[in-house]
Amino acid sequence: MMATTVRMPEVLANTTEAAIQSWSVGVGEQIDVGQPLAEIETDKAVVEYAAEVSGTVLELLVAEGDLVDVGAPIAVVGEPGETVADAAPVPQAAPADPESAAPVADAEPAFDHSDDGVSRPGPDARGSDDGGGATGARRFMSPLVRRLAREHDIDLEGVTGSGPDGRIVRRDVEPLIEAKAAPAEAARSGDRAAAPAPTTPTTPASASATADAELVPHTRMRRTIARRLVESKTQVPHFYLTAECRVDRLLELRRELNAAGTLKVSVNDLVVKAVAGAFVDVPEANRTWADEGVLQHRTADIAIAVAIDDGLVTPVVRGVESLSVSELGRRIADLAERARTGGLRQHEIEGGSFSVSNLGMYGTREFSAIINPPHAGILAVGAARQAPVVVDGALEVGTLMNVTLSADHRVLDGAVAAKWLAAFVARIEHPLTILA
């Protein structure tokens, strides 16, 4: 059996490039289908990539920290006893710089494959290039490192790389970026404190940065979020429905559940469970748009918006309608924690038909959220607050919570969306139905 070339997967829809953050296996190691192969950094998260073939790892073609195109070869896996020479030849063009798309001459060293199966730099891998300076020693670094160094004007001369064969990887550059930013920021603060405010602009109005503003380069995640949200807002016909829920009973139920159990249940856990219940009540709302037709989903797979540094991710909880509230709470807490630490797996950030975004903990009373494609809707949840309410002609104090449904009009008509929202409000205001 011929050895198999493993290629960089498209771990997220519309992803064109990704980086190997770390390899979970080594050359010569036996792997099975489903075994973690590598942690891959995308625009939105670090995901665990599982092996799709079994065999022996014959070669790792990409160093940790390297940014490569989706579909590019990253490893070779074969049968025990095979060698790299048994693999089908893989044409490899020079890697492209992610900024200029020009070939990067020093992105990959040449390797010599000895009989023990370990890859080592070949005899021609130490040629000179523009990064070698007067010594003529070639500087090995990933395209991602080259871009970061260029963006932050970092001199990599003298930097000792911690990657394979001394390659400079991202973790070697980040401390230099932070160290350079600290005195610059201190100087700017001092200048602002000492100097009087200018009466006329000292830089053109069209300049990217001024004395009073610092230009922070976009991260890959921020660029991706911007692109996807613009696409959603311009290509998906949004319409909005707002409802007011009385949540006194819901809060009382939460208190009772937390008093009786060891796991603390949040209001958001109950909201997500009520969302799933509303899809059980109105299954025709659990649909998404596809070019070939409308997808009718059989389970309530719901994405939870989680804020992380410089962005957000939306891990998906599957089959929410069949989970207990306590189990749902455990899964949401686990996904949120791993989202913040970069430990999400590929399947945990894919799929789903609906999202929940809760800003109530920040005191936001009401907002409208942008749909996260390919989902057909997103529920924006505001803060619970005390307010006067009228019950049977009498005035009393109640606890109210505003929610806004953003719906995709291509697949959800107004009447269906209104019916779903009414079912959600009924579940929230009669919370024992959430537990059924």
Side-chain angles (χ1 to χ4, degrees):
M1 180 178 178
M2 185 171 291
T4 301
T5 299
V6 179
R7 298 179 180 275
M8 177 64 78
E10 185 183 16
V11 293
L12 285 176
N14 301 319
T15 299
T16 59
E17 59 184 12
I20 297 291
Q21 186 184 71
S22 64
W23 285 107
S24 304
V25 298
V27 173
E29 185 174 336
Q30 180 71 25
I31 60 172
D32 297 316
V33 173
Q35 178 179 339
L37 189 64
E39 289 186 335
I40 297 177
E41 181 185 1
T42 69
D43 297 319
K44 302 191 71 174
V46 175
V47 299
E48 187 179 82
Y49 174 49
E52 299 176 0
V53 295
S54 297
T56 300
V57 179
L58 303 179
E59 185 177 11
L60 301 178
L61 301 174
V62 177
E64 293 181 351
D66 274 9
L67 184 72
V68 299
D69 291 336
V70 168
I74 60 173
V76 178
V77 176
E79 295 298 320
E82 274 189 311
T83 65
V84 175
D86 298 320
V90 180
Q92 294 194 34
D97 183 282
E99 292 273 317
S100 65
V104 180
D106 62 352
E108 289 292 344
F111 283 97
D112 169 51
H113 306 289
S114 59
D115 293 338
D116 61 6
V118 179
S119 299
R120 297 184 176 88
D124 62 343
R126 296 288 177 183
S128 63
D129 73 350
D130 59 357
T135 64
R138 191 171 184 179
R139 305 290 297 165
F140 292 96
M141 63 192 73
S142 71
L144 179 59
V145 166
R146 292 177 65 90
R147 186 183 69 185
L148 290 173
R150 181 169 55 252
E151 288 176 350
H152 297 279
D153 194 22
I154 299 295
D155 183 4
L156 297 179
E157 183 66 28
V159 175
T160 301
S162 61
D165 299 303
R167 170 174 294 234
I168 302 173
V169 294
R170 185 179 58 180
R171 60 176 172 264
D172 303 320
V173 178
E174 288 176 340
L176 302 177
I177 295 174
E178 294 174 0
K180 185 170 184 177
E185 177 58 32
R188 280 191 295 269
S189 299
D191 290 344
R192 285 194 292 267
T199 56
T200 58
T202 57
T203 58
S206 60
S208 298
T210 68
D212 296 324
E214 177 186 2
L215 180 65
V216 179
H218 296 305
T219 62
R220 293 173 60 233
M221 176 182 288
R222 179 53 56 189
R223 288 185 183 277
T224 299
I225 290 173
R227 174 178 54 81
R228 287 178 57 82
L229 292 183
V230 169
E231 289 174 355
S232 175
K233 195 65 173 176
T234 56
Q235 299 178 15
V236 177
H238 288 55
F239 72 97
Y240 308 93
L241 300 175
T242 298
E244 191 174 65
C245 314
R246 185 165 183 181
V247 295
D248 296 273
R249 292 182 183 178
L250 184 80
L251 298 179
E252 180 59 31
L253 174 63
R254 175 177 178 256
R255 282 191 287 269
E256 293 178 4
L257 290 173
N258 288 338
T262 56
L263 179 71
K264 298 303 180 183
V265 175
S266 70
V267 172
N268 196 58
D269 297 336
L270 296 171
V271 167
V272 174
K273 185 65 176 175
V275 166
F279 281 126
V280 173
D281 298 335
V282 189
E284 61 268 31
N286 195 14
R287 295 174 174 173
T288 55
W289 176 268
D291 291 339
E292 301 80 10
V294 172
L295 296 175
Q296 176 67 58
H297 298 272
R298 298 186 179 91
T299 58
D301 300 340
I302 301 170
I304 314 298
V306 179
I308 61 175
D309 292 342
D310 195 39
L312 59 87
V313 293
T314 51
V316 178
V317 184
R318 305 183 191 281
V320 175
E321 77 286 352
S322 62
L323 300 177
S324 66
V325 172
S326 59
E327 176 60 22
L328 174 61
R330 273 191 291 268
R331 295 195 185 186
I332 291 177
D334 174 60
L335 288 170
E337 175 62 25
R338 289 192 287 114
R340 297 185 183 101
T341 58
L344 291 175
R345 300 178 179 89
Q346 176 181 348
H347 70 277
E348 293 171 332
I349 53 178
E350 293 181 329
S353 62
F354 194 85
S355 306
V356 173
S357 179
N358 191 340
L359 296 180
M361 67 286 294
Y362 299 105
T364 301
R365 176 175 292 192
E366 182 179 317
F367 69 104
S368 300
I370 300 176
I371 296 171
N372 180 33
H375 301 166
I378 182 170
L379 188 70
V381 182
R385 68 193 189 283
Q386 288 195 326
V389 295
V390 177
V391 179
D392 297 330
L395 190 65
E396 60 182 65
V397 176
T399 307
L400 303 179
M401 180 179 74
N402 283 16
V403 295
T404 300
L405 170 65
S406 304
D408 181 352
H409 217 328
R410 297 174 303 175
V411 66
L412 294 179
D413 294 327
V416 173
K419 185 178 177 182
W420 180 90
L421 188 57
F424 169 81
V425 173
R427 293 263 182 173
I428 289 291
E429 295 189 340
H430 301 84
L432 290 179
T433 63
I434 297 175
L435 305 181

